[in-house]
Amino acid sequence: MTANPLLRVQFRVPFDQIRPEHVEPAVAELLADARADLQAIVDTPGPRTFDNTLGALEAATERLEFAITLVGHLESVATTPELRAAHNAVQGPVAEFFAQIPLDAGLWRALQEFARTPEAAALTGARRRLLDRTLDDFRRQGAELDPAGKARLAEISAELAQITTQFSEHVLDATNAYELWITDPADLAGLPPSAVDAARASAEAKGRPNAWRFTLQQPSFVPFVTYADNPELREQIWRAANICADDGPHDNRELLRRILLLRREQAQLLGFRDFADFVLKPRMAKDGASARAFVDGLAARTAAAFAAEARDLHEFRKQLEGLGALEPAPWDLAYYAEKQRRALYDFDDEALRPYFPVESVLKGLFELVADLYGVRVEPVAGIETWHPDVRTFAVRDGDALLGVFYADLFPREQKRSGAWMNALVTGKPDGRGGFGPHLGLICGNLTPPLGDRPALLTHDEVETIFHEFGHLLHHLLTRVELRSLAGTNVAWDFVELPSQIMENWCWERPALDRFARHVDTGAPIPDDLVKRMLSARNFRAASAMMRQLSFATVDLELHRGPLAATSAELLARARDIMERFSPAPLPPDYAMVCRFGHLFSSPVAYAAGYYSYKWAEVLDADAFTRFQREGLFSRDVGLAFRRAILERGDSDDPAVLFRAFMGRDPDPEALLRRAGLADAA
């Protein structure tokens, strides 16, 4: 097994060598090694120290975590039936192993023994925080349960790992199973040339050169429901997206209910009222009631503006189409909202595409972080990747290599939807005041290049790149000596601050002038187009706010309220909750929750935590005001943000870190002001 590439942590990951047949033997060996290392902590003779207790606990699982992260990543971006089978085979044993760690009486005794030592009493900074967090996590994960309770908790963890992975696979398979084929050019009316060209290329790739193929992947689905004039086809693809994974071979209905049932049992076994209270105890919100109060408060402040937007859209549609009192259907909303935006602001998102070639966007992004944080991003060649589309870059601070990252930006059928960042390797202190380099990645499903034409992005997609790169900086710039407190290992309602704050520069003309250049002429965006874009920025801001709050509300209600007796009752309840936030009635078979991977796929960091997006938006809207006040490209402010937030990981309470940057607590009105909703509220 010495040749197995998954057996050791490697900064230069041999992606070209990893095979499905490596997975099960590697994980079996790494599990055995990790168990032996944990037992060695229990058996350590002599006095308890940080190094032989907490330090050893940190190190014991590092190789296993690295391997399982790689396998999960590959299953997300380059899945095959063989890799999926291998990944599924190890999910249960790995989950059971990690669930057993806080249930190990010997480890719990060792931690308590160390906590009573003079060395522990004298700990400060990150080491003090690690001790406190570890003791709390062990208690919260069942260290004080009786043997029967511990056994049941391990069973729950193993089953949840398996079925949340299955949920994710069903979503991917159901998404890939749907195709809308168009053969009549008349059915393409209204669609922008970029969407038509992409659909033709997609059809050609499937061997049908005289047709157009649309899918449920975002770069295909969103333009269709936004621009296609044919209402029957808009309805068809919208319905397909919102009953995805609710029937047939990819049916998630029973999995959904089972996941909620197991999470409820897990929380109550550990002494919590519900899963939200269990999840949120170590986060900024602290409990489900506080998270729900935050969400409800935002909804109440937004309700009047939301109702006004719905009325305005309804009136606009009536005048445009002469449709009388008939309300729009949900598949009409994006279509008529786009027409309304054009009428009000003479602005069309598609007009911006030629100004956002992906290479120019990346160049501008890298220049921005160089100005703000004093780091240099450079392409590096000769590094093995998992697909030819993947690119690699190095991040440097002067002569020091801070890290390397992979960028995989375009959709494939073997790749899950969405956009995300992952940490692969966290560099360790080098003994000379520095750190070894960090390794990470960003993935997306952005509009791909067509033929010899470069990828031309929407403004939303530009924001997505900036967002994920903010997460990446949080990892690559970390200077926390302890792996479990480094980088993005922070409270989940704080983790979006470094990512969401980056989106703000996508709306600032001085920043846009750095990278928004016409693909053919190199000209910047005309002043008039920028003015119209900025004027339209908060168009239907209340509707966008309520959409996110609908996701947060259904999340909290499903994880806090009574459990539905049947899957049909569960889907109906979820639909009723989300309809409260919809400008149009939802159809009876609406089942978006069956593909809600943020909540029910593995990993499940957003379960009972979807409110985190809005919570962190308050933080980022407020924090960005310092850049606006002192300089959009100010190195002083950028370095202050780097030192206070990006480098600090979870080495201190998030509220303390925010105050270190802003000099005060967050202003809860900042988000409403940015969205133009403060006066309406």
Side-chain angles (χ1 to χ4, degrees):
M1 288 306 301
T2 55
N4 191 317
L6 294 172
L7 282 178
R8 62 188 181 92
V9 177
Q10 303 178 69
F11 186 79
R12 184 156 180 164
V13 182
F15 282 110
D16 57 333
Q17 299 174 27
I18 300 172
R19 302 285 182 268
E21 57 266 26
H22 291 134
V23 175
E24 291 185 71
V27 170
E29 182 170 339
L30 292 169
L31 281 170
D33 290 348
R35 289 189 181 99
D37 290 343
L38 293 177
Q39 188 58 44
I41 297 172
V42 176
D43 297 338
T44 294
R48 288 281 166 199
T49 67
F50 182 93
D51 289 341
N52 69 25
T53 309
L54 278 174
L57 185 59
E58 279 261 291
T61 60
E62 183 177 9
R63 291 164 59 225
L64 176 63
E65 289 178 45
F66 177 74
I68 204 65
T69 297
L70 285 186
V71 175
H73 167 66
L74 287 173
E75 211 283 317
S76 294
V77 296
T79 190
T80 65
E82 295 78 14
L83 181 60
R84 175 177 290 185
H87 181 240
N88 288 346
V90 300
Q91 284 294 294
V94 170
E96 185 176 3
F97 165 77
F98 280 106
Q100 286 288 347
I101 291 176
L103 306 181
D104 187 307
L107 282 175
W108 180 231
R109 185 169 57 252
L111 286 169
Q112 291 177 305
E113 289 171 356
F114 171 66
R116 292 192 291 266
T117 66
E119 181 186 358
L123 289 177
T124 59
R127 291 191 168 208
R128 175 80 248 172
R129 186 163 176 82
L130 180 63
L131 174 59
D132 293 342
R133 291 295 298 271
T134 303
L135 291 170
D136 184 61
D137 285 347
F138 265 62
R139 291 189 188 96
R140 202 171 62 89
Q141 297 288 351
E144 295 176 336
L145 288 176
D146 61 25
K150 290 181 177 181
R152 178 58 189 149
L153 192 62
E155 292 171 355
I156 292 171
S157 298
E159 185 177 354
L160 277 172
Q162 291 176 326
I163 63 177
T164 53
T165 298
Q166 190 178 359
F167 184 99
S168 178
E169 292 169 354
H170 283 179
V171 174
L172 175 62
D173 293 344
T175 299
N176 287 338
Y178 179 82
E179 300 170 309
L180 173 62
W181 288 96
I182 290 178
T183 55
D184 184 351
D187 288 333
L188 301 170
L191 287 166
S194 60
V196 174
D197 292 345
R200 171 59 68 90
S202 179
E204 289 174 348
K206 291 290 185 178
R208 294 181 62 178
N210 297 316
W212 293 266
R213 177 178 177 261
F214 293 88
T215 72
L216 299 184
Q217 292 175 338
Q218 290 297 95
S220 181
F221 171 79
V222 172
F224 199 93
V225 295
T226 305
Y227 295 103
D229 289 339
N230 187 317
E232 290 78 17
L233 292 178
R234 284 202 313 271
E235 177 180 357
Q236 181 179 323
I237 197 169
W238 186 93
R239 284 185 179 275
N242 288 288
I243 59 170
C244 181
D246 86 327
D247 200 1
H250 316 305
D251 191 345
N252 271 339
R253 289 175 298 179
E254 286 301 327
L255 288 179
L256 182 62
R257 186 173 177 277
R258 182 65 178 164
I259 290 167
L260 289 169
L261 178 67
L262 289 171
R263 288 175 176 170
R264 175 68 55 88
E265 183 183 357
Q266 177 188 33
Q268 293 181 346
L269 187 61
L270 292 165
F272 293 88
R273 174 189 175 275
D274 52 49
F275 187 72
D277 281 1
F278 165 65
V279 165
L280 301 184
K281 185 175 185 293
R283 301 186 186 181
M284 296 182 77
K286 302 306 180 188
D287 56 45
S290 298
R292 184 61 191 272
F294 168 75
V295 171
D296 288 349
L298 273 182
R301 299 290 303 278
T302 310
F306 174 64
E309 288 178 1
R311 287 193 301 270
D312 290 347
L313 182 63
H314 187 35
E315 287 303 314
F316 171 81
R317 180 171 171 268
K318 283 199 297 183
Q319 293 172 15
L320 185 69
E321 304 284 8
L323 293 172
L326 184 66
E327 290 189 357
W331 47 86
D332 294 328
L333 293 174
Y335 177 76
Y336 286 103
E338 180 60 24
K339 288 189 176 298
Q340 184 187 27
R341 180 166 67 165
R342 287 195 201 183
L344 290 172
Y345 304 103
D346 189 24
F347 174 69
D348 176 7
D349 262 338
E350 287 294 309
L352 290 171
R353 270 195 197 270
Y355 296 94
F356 294 133
V358 69
E359 292 303 318
S360 181
V361 171
L362 291 174
K363 182 174 182 289
L365 171 59
F366 298 161
E367 289 177 356
L368 174 64
V369 300
D371 284 349
L372 293 177
Y373 307 128
V375 299
R376 192 169 73 254
V377 183
E378 303 169 333
V380 290
I383 295 179
E384 300 82 1
T385 67
W386 53 89
H387 190 274
D389 285 352
V390 181
R391 302 168 62 186
T392 51
F393 299 86
V395 179
R396 302 180 186 276
D397 188 345
D399 294 331
L401 176 64
L402 299 182
V404 170
F405 68 93
Y406 306 87
D408 184 357
L409 301 179
F410 305 117
R412 297 182 297 276
E413 289 192 2
Q414 298 78 23
K415 180 181 178 184
R416 72 174 171 91
S417 61
W420 65 95
M421 168 267 166
N422 252 350
L424 298 179
V425 174
T426 301
K428 296 181 173 65
D430 60 13
R432 303 185 301 276
F435 280 75
H438 311 299
L439 183 67
L441 61 90
I442 52 173
C443 290
N445 283 271
L446 311 178
T447 301
L450 291 175
D452 296 331
R453 195 77 164 159
L456 300 178
L457 308 182
T458 66
H459 187 259
D460 282 348
E461 290 175 327
V462 174
E463 286 187 283
T464 295
I465 291 181
F466 275 59
H467 178 106
E468 298 306 333
F469 200 76
H471 282 311
L472 190 66
L473 288 173
H474 202 186
H475 173 61
L476 297 179
L477 300 187
T478 191
R479 284 298 178 263
V480 178
E481 62 172 314
L482 302 167
R483 182 172 58 92
S484 62
L485 298 182
T488 57
N489 293 317
V490 300
W492 210 253
D493 40 13
F494 188 67
V495 76
E496 296 296 337
L497 168 59
S499 57
Q500 289 177 180
I501 197 170
M502 291 295 296
E503 297 177 30
N504 288 279
W505 278 274
C506 300
W507 293 95
E508 300 288 339
R509 179 63 196 249
L512 289 168
D513 281 345
R514 294 177 167 216
F515 64 86
R517 298 282 170 169
H518 196 282
V519 64
D520 295 322
T521 68
I525 306 177
D527 287 342
D528 181 58
L529 183 54
V530 171
K531 288 177 183 176
R532 284 182 278 137
M533 180 187 83
L534 295 176
S535 296
R537 178 181 185 180
N538 287 329
F539 172 63
R540 293 180 61 79
S543 298
M545 175 82 77
M546 291 299 248
R547 180 176 183 271
Q548 287 295 97
L549 295 177
S550 76
F551 297 153
T553 302
V554 78
D555 174 25
L556 289 169
E557 287 206 14
L558 292 183
H559 283 107
R560 298 185 73 231
L563 192 67
T566 65
S567 60
E569 180 185 318
L570 173 58
L571 261 61
R573 183 176 167 210
R575 176 199 167 281
D576 290 347
I577 294 167
M578 299 187 79
E579 190 170 54
R580 302 203 304 261
F581 298 85
S582 175
L586 299 175
D589 62 350
Y590 182 80
M592 175 271 173
V593 72
C594 285
R595 62 178 174 90
F596 204 167
H598 272 74
L599 306 189
F600 302 109
S601 294
S602 183
V604 289
Y606 282 103
Y610 199 91
Y611 76 93
S612 301
Y613 280 113
K614 287 300 171 190
W615 187 285
E617 274 192 59
V618 170
L619 303 181
D620 97 72
D622 193 19
F624 189 64
T625 62
R626 183 172 172 190
F627 287 97
Q628 292 175 308
R629 186 171 62 251
E630 300 179 36
L632 285 176
F633 308 113
S634 168
R635 176 69 62 84
D636 289 340
V637 182
L639 288 179
F641 190 77
R642 176 178 172 179
R643 306 295 185 228
I645 307 293
L646 297 177
E647 293 185 350
R648 296 290 305 279
D650 194 41
S651 60
D652 208 337
D653 187 278
V656 172
L657 301 183
F658 187 88
R659 283 194 293 270
F661 177 65
M662 289 298 288
R664 56 168 174 75
D665 288 334
D667 176 2
E669 295 294 305
L671 174 59
L672 291 170
R673 285 197 299 271
R674 184 175 67 186
L677 296 172
D679 293 339

